[in-house]
């Protein structure tokens, strides 16, 4: 039986991952060059790349991406910190959980974007109104993940720590917090995805800058290349966040690595 | 520290009616005694240890602590069969956990942990994570952690039950070595009669549910005890007697589950 070397396995996996996107883009480019598809709806990938390159050269791409990132990270930071604290408290203190869980649950089921008109009424058309849905999304996602994580902490570990003399503070620092980390990271990954989506949505609705606004304006002005650039940039951001968080998790939570089968 | 109990009783609710895990269990330990409790698997032994450790409150009776002048503290620490190490701490941090809870500063506790782990053959693997270790190695670390904290009483709940024969023999010898260097009261629960006799000064036989102490045997063999004594006639005689008592308790009471 032939021996498969490591590089051959990597090559094979790479082919699996890449053949489909390459085929799609290849077909698209070919169809565009042969004028088989409308240049208004499906500009050739070469044109999109050209346009994108222009945007990078004159700084427009960076500034739009930067604006979206800025908005998303601030909103997410607000939501994540409060969400984590809330989830932790709910998980450890029963009265807190009984009080807050229904509220969080309702918020979870409410489309955060639907809250926008109400916010615009209270807060006016400003950055705060845009940050709130993002923060809320992050808050609710992480609060529920953290609550779940805390409840999932094996009571055997809590008993063991107590047996060795751990007080409340030590229990929190040395048992609950690290035990929750793997699931909290899952929450972070979920939040990153959802926060990005809601940031773009908020920008679509009305924002002076950002990828969402760029996509909207491109639609309004039939600048189809920019439309695609906006969408691809958003997707790329999503992938970067996901990948980055996975790597961070591998670093910070080495014990959370579950052996995966092929 | 010595322990003395009045008649202990623990009852658990269950769909089929109350389950008497322990009823009328009374025991007393002597100074720095290695006491083994044997009994059929599943009934009462773990509950008894949890009561002594203070994790489980008995519904009847109580355990009295009689401190000795040689006690460093009044800790009663439990080593169980599994889930012994915190997965999010390295081997050395796990071993030093007891000391950490006692407020020993980081440098010192890591140094002490390093010493005991080195003696147990962990040189170079101290920064490993529990999920990278075999069960035998994890149990070693758990035992090391317990000794490092120098409790007044050590409770061990079938700690070597899930290990293969060779590992078990190794760890038994290591346990005896550590205990002889740092004598303290140990209550060791097992279903293995040979292990019980090899390790202890005295063996208590616990019956099936409801758990009661049905017999008691003194183990007269001198220390240090190597694994070789398990083949001697005296040892086998005692093993036969204790097994008999255990066997009786198998047949007499109704099945546990």
């Amino acid at each position: 039986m032939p021996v498969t070397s490591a590089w051959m396995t990597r090559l094979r996996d790479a082919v699996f991952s890449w053949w489909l996107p390459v085929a799609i883009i290849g077909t698209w480019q070919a169809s565009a060059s042969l004028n088989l598809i409308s240049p208004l709806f499906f500009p050739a990938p070469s044109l999109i790349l050209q346009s994108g390159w222009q945007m990078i050269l004159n700084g427009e791409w960076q500034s739009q991406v930067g604006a979206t990132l800025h908005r998303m990270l601030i909103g997410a930071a607000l939501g994540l910190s409060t969400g984590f604290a809330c989830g932790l408290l709910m998980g450890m203190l029963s009265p807190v959980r009984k009080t807050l869980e229904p509220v969080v649950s309702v918020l979870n089921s409410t489309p955060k974007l639907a809250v926008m008109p109400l916010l615009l009424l209270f807060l006016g058309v400003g950055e705060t109104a845009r940050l709130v849905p993002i923060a809320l999304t992050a808050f609710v996602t992480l609060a529920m993940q953290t609550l779940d994580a805390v409840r999932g902490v094996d009571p055997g570990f809590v008993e063991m720590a107590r047996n060795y003399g751990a007080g409340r503070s030590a229990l929190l620092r040395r048992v609950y917090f690290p035990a929750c980390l793997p699931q909290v990271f899952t929450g972070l990954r979920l939040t990153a995805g959802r926060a990005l989506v809601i940031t773009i949505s908020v920008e679509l609705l009305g924002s002076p800058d950002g990828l969402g606004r760029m996509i909207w304006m491109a639609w309004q002005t039939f600048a189809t290349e920019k439309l695609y650039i906006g969408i691809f940039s958003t997707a790329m951001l999503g992938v970067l966040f996901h990948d980055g968080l996975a790597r961070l998790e591998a670093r910070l939570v080495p014990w959370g690595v579950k052996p995966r089968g092929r | 520290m010595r322990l003395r109990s009045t008649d202990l009783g623990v009852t658990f609710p269950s769909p089929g009616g109350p389950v008497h895990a322990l009823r009328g269990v009374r025991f007393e330990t002597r100074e720095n005694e290695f006491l083994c409790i044997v009994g059929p698997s599943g009934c009462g032994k773990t509950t008894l240890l949890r009561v002594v450790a203070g994790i489980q409150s008995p519904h009847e009776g109580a355990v009295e602590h009689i401190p000795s002048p040689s006690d460093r503290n009044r800790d009663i620490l439990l080593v169980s069969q599994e889930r012994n190490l915190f997965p999010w701490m390295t081997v050395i941090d796990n071993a030093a956990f007891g000391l950490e809870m006692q407020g020993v500063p980081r440098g010192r506790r890591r140094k002490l942990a390093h010493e005991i782990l080195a003696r147990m053959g962990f040189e170079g693997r101290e920064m490993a994570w529990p999920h990278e270790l075999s069960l035998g190695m994890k149990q070693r670390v758990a035992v090391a952690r317990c000794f490092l904290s120098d409790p007044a009483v050590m409770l061990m709940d079938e700690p070597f039950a899930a290990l293969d024969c060779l590992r078990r023999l190794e760890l038994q010898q290591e346990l005896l070595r550590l205990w002889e260097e740092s004598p303290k009261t140990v209550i060791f629960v097992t279903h293995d009669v040979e292990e019980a006799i090899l390790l202890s000064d005295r063996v208590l036989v616990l019956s099936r549910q409801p758990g009661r102490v049905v017999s008691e045997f003194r183990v007269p063999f001198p220390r240090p005890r190597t694994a070789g004594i398990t083949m001697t006639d005296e040892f086998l005689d005692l093993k036969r007697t204790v097994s008999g008592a255990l066997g009786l308790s198998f047949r007499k009471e109704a099945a546990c589950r």
Side-chain angles (χ1 to χ4, degrees):
Chain A
M1 211 167 88
V3 168
T4 322
S5 60
W7 75 263
M8 277 177 74
T9 312
R10 273 203 300 273
L11 183 65
R12 186 197 57 190
D13 286 346
V15 169
F16 269 121
S17 305
W18 286 97
W19 78 265
L20 191 57
V22 168
I24 291 174
I25 299 201
T27 313
W28 184 352
Q29 179 69 49
S31 316
S33 306
L34 297 172
N35 284 318
L36 294 171
I37 49 181
S38 156
L40 184 64
F41 296 139
F42 298 107
S46 50
L47 285 175
I48 297 176
L49 278 173
Q50 251 177 348
S51 200
W53 185 240
Q54 285 301 320
M55 287 182 73
I56 293 178
L57 284 180
N58 65 28
E60 190 189 346
W61 185 83
Q62 291 91 311
S63 112
Q64 300 290 31
V65 169
T68 298
L69 276 178
H70 187 253
R71 184 167 288 120
M72 177 185 153
L73 289 173
I74 295 190
L78 284 170
L80 289 174
S81 49
T82 46
F84 180 67
C86 179
L88 207 61
L89 285 174
M90 283 200 292
M92 293 184 71
L93 303 171
S94 189
V96 176
R97 179 177 59 82
K98 290 185 183 146
T99 316
L100 292 182
E101 195 174 6
V103 176
V104 174
S105 197
V106 164
L107 275 176
N108 189 37
S109 316
T110 313
K112 315 298 174 294
L113 215 51
V115 181
M116 272 296 275
L118 203 65
L119 289 172
L120 291 171
L121 215 61
F122 289 147
L123 303 168
V125 183
E127 191 63 14
T128 320
R130 287 187 283 274
L131 287 176
V132 169
I134 304 171
L136 268 183
T137 304
F139 171 81
V140 162
T141 308
L142 203 62
M144 295 192 72
Q145 281 289 323
T146 308
L147 169 62
D148 208 52
V150 172
R151 285 164 107 178
V153 170
D154 194 328
F157 290 130
V158 178
E159 267 175 14
M160 187 159 74
R162 281 219 181 101
N163 187 225
Y164 274 91
R168 257 254 161 86
S169 149
L171 270 182
L172 200 64
R173 272 181 308 112
R174 302 297 265 145
V175 179
Y176 282 105
F177 179 75
C180 292
L181 277 184
Q183 203 162 347
V184 166
F185 263 94
T186 306
L188 285 179
R189 265 200 305 268
L190 275 174
T191 303
R194 290 180 190 171
L196 184 60
V197 166
I198 195 125
T199 306
I200 302 294
S201 312
V202 155
E203 287 172 351
L204 280 170
L205 275 188
S207 160
D209 56 15
L211 287 170
R213 178 174 199 271
M214 188 181 103
I215 291 172
W216 182 256
M217 289 307 289
W219 185 79
Q220 294 273 11
T221 60
F222 291 101
T224 327
E225 283 104 34
K226 273 201 176 174
L227 188 63
Y228 280 101
I229 291 169
I231 295 172
F232 289 148
S233 304
T234 308
M236 192 187 75
L237 279 182
V239 168
L240 282 175
F241 271 114
H242 195 273
D243 204 52
L245 281 171
R247 281 170 204 271
L248 195 63
E249 181 178 1
R251 269 290 201 83
L252 294 181
V253 190
W255 68 87
V257 177
K258 291 182 181 66
R260 285 173 213 282
R262 299 189 85 250
Chain B
M1 184 158 80
R2 288 167 45 216
L3 299 172
R4 184 162 58 203
S5 81
T6 56
D7 284 355
L8 295 171
V10 176
T11 310
F12 293 119
S14 89
V19 162
H20 300 286
L22 299 172
R23 188 144 66 177
V25 171
R26 179 202 295 247
F27 71 95
E28 185 172 340
T29 67
R30 303 193 186 114
E31 193 69 38
N32 293 339
E33 181 180 27
F34 199 120
L35 178 69
C36 269
I37 300 181
V38 294
S41 272
C43 308
K45 306 197 299 289
T46 302
T47 311
L48 178 57
L49 282 191
R50 286 165 63 88
V51 166
V52 176
I55 299 173
Q56 167 89 40
S57 290
H59 300 110
E60 290 157 22
V63 179
E64 189 189 340
H65 304 163
I66 305 159
S68 328
S70 61
D71 288 342
R72 292 266 206 90
N73 52 50
R74 307 189 66 174
D75 294 342
I76 302 177
L77 296 181
L78 176 62
V79 178
S80 32
Q81 216 175 93
E82 35 173 50
R83 256 195 286 107
N84 252 322
L85 301 185
F86 298 112
W88 49 82
M89 294 184 206
T90 53
V91 161
I92 192 162
D93 282 336
N94 258 296
F97 184 72
L99 294 177
E100 185 185 339
M101 293 300 107
Q102 288 169 8
V104 175
R106 190 171 208 215
R108 185 167 154 70
R109 68 175 188 253
R110 279 205 160 183
K111 181 166 158 303
L112 290 171
H114 172 81
E115 278 165 17
I116 197 173
L117 287 173
R119 275 194 1 231
M120 294 176 95
F122 262 91
E123 201 83 56
R125 297 219 60 184
E126 291 166 2
M127 298 308 282
W129 297 94
H131 70 263
E132 297 168 350
L133 300 178
S134 66
L135 190 58
M137 291 173 84
K138 284 195 278 203
Q139 291 299 66
R140 260 199 174 102
V141 178
V143 170
R145 178 177 63 190
C146 199
F147 270 102
L148 208 49
S149 308
D150 203 17
V153 177
M154 254 179 84
L155 307 175
M156 306 184 80
D157 188 1
E158 303 195 57
F160 310 145
L163 300 176
D164 64 79
C165 191
L166 288 175
R167 278 274 163 274
R168 207 177 320 146
L169 290 174
E170 268 176 37
L171 286 183
Q172 283 164 356
Q173 291 302 316
E174 258 179 60
L175 177 62
L176 285 178
R177 222 174 10 242
L178 286 167
W179 178 70
E180 270 150 38
E181 284 173 22
S182 162
K184 55 184 93 277
T185 304
V186 175
I187 304 182
F188 188 105
V189 155
T190 177
H191 60 267
D192 182 348
V193 172
E194 188 172 294
E195 182 175 61
I197 302 175
L198 173 65
L199 296 175
S200 64
D201 299 314
R202 207 161 42 110
V203 177
L204 297 183
V205 178
L206 214 62
S207 67
R208 264 187 194 266
Q209 191 191 85
R212 252 181 341 106
V213 177
V214 289
S215 2
E216 182 181 320
F217 298 96
R218 209 176 73 79
V219 182
F221 310 126
R223 293 188 189 271
R225 297 186 194 155
T226 54
I229 71 161
T230 61
M231 307 295 184
T232 63
D233 286 334
E234 297 88 352
F235 190 98
L236 291 170
D237 276 338
L238 184 54
K239 183 175 169 186
R240 216 168 287 134
T241 316
V242 177
S243 301
L246 195 61
L248 269 174
S249 76
F250 256 114
R251 286 191 290 270
K252 234 169 38 169
E253 277 80 9
C256 193
R257 275 171 241 282

